[in-house]
Amino acid sequence: MKRVLTYGTYDLLHWGHIRLLKRAKQLGDYLIVALSTDEFNAIKGKKAYHSYEERKMMLEAIRYVDLVIPEVSWEQKPQDIAEYHVDVFVMGDDWEGKFDDLKQYCEVLYLPRTEGISTTKIKEDLEALKR
Ligand code: C2G
């Protein structure tokens, strides 16, 4: 049982998120998503449109996702990797290199981001419609 772990806010869920989760699941047999809480988003300087509970429910509905846990701090990753016996830590490559310290605990992979879509782009495009 190869266990994969990834982190994120996953606000305004879109096809770029889904492509990341699909490829992450293909790296193993069990995918855990550590979902940024509303409080942690504030620390990240983000204000999600959907609450944590709403974002969690949507992620749990995705066939590639096996478990959703809360992400409450930058520092919890080593503990999560140990607690959930994680074999592979994976993020989109906008984080390239940022989590290489985790290589002492498990495999670390960065997957190409999906171009042309982002939560920010969705917000900006919707705003433009109103003008
Ligand atoms: N992503 C992607 N392609 C996009 C948009 C996002 O592959 N067009 C990926 C990101 O690289 C990330 C995941 O989808 O791996 C979730 O993206 P965000 O919700 O923006 O996550 P982020 O705020 O980067 O949180 O501790 C790590 C942080 O919690 C990461």
Side-chain angles (χ1 to χ4, degrees):
M1 162 81 84
K2 197 167 181 185
R3 303 161 74 84
V4 184
L5 173 63
T6 191
Y7 291 72
T9 295
Y10 288 95
D11 191 31
L12 298 183
L13 195 63
H14 57 67
W15 60 284
H17 292 138
I18 301 299
R19 284 192 71 246
L20 189 287
L21 296 169
K22 179 174 185 175
R23 286 174 291 158
K25 182 59 177 284
Q26 288 167 344
L27 295 170
D29 310 290
Y30 190 88
L31 175 60
I32 303 163
V33 180
L35 182 63
S36 307
T37 60
D38 297 327
E39 295 75 13
F40 183 55
N41 274 330
I43 293 169
K44 292 201 304 188
K46 282 191 168 185
K47 173 101 176 67
Y49 176 82
H50 293 303
S51 69
Y52 174 79
E53 286 309 320
E54 290 161 348
R55 290 181 284 119
K56 179 173 185 285
M57 180 265 262
M58 284 192 267
L59 282 180
E60 288 172 339
I62 298 169
R63 70 174 65 179
Y64 311 120
V65 177
D66 296 289
L67 177 67
V68 179
I69 61 172
E71 179 185 30
V72 299
S73 76
W74 289 113
E75 297 78 28
Q76 70 182 75
K77 295 183 176 67
Q79 179 193 333
D80 291 342
I81 288 165
E83 189 174 337
Y84 292 95
H85 310 292
V86 169
D87 301 291
V88 184
F89 168 87
V90 61
M91 291 297 294
D93 65 3
D94 46 314
W95 291 94
E96 183 78 39
K98 297 291 192 306
F99 299 114
D100 286 358
D101 60 301
L102 300 176
K103 287 181 177 175
Q104 62 187 301
Y105 307 114
C106 64
E107 197 179 340
V108 173
L109 290 175
Y110 302 98
L111 301 175
R113 255 179 90 86
T114 300
E115 295 307 319
I117 184 68
S118 69
T119 302
T120 304
K121 180 176 179 350
I122 292 169
K123 289 176 179 175
E124 287 169 355
D125 289 355
L126 288 174
E127 196 59 37
L129 286 176
K130 289 194 288 187
R131 289 190 205 105

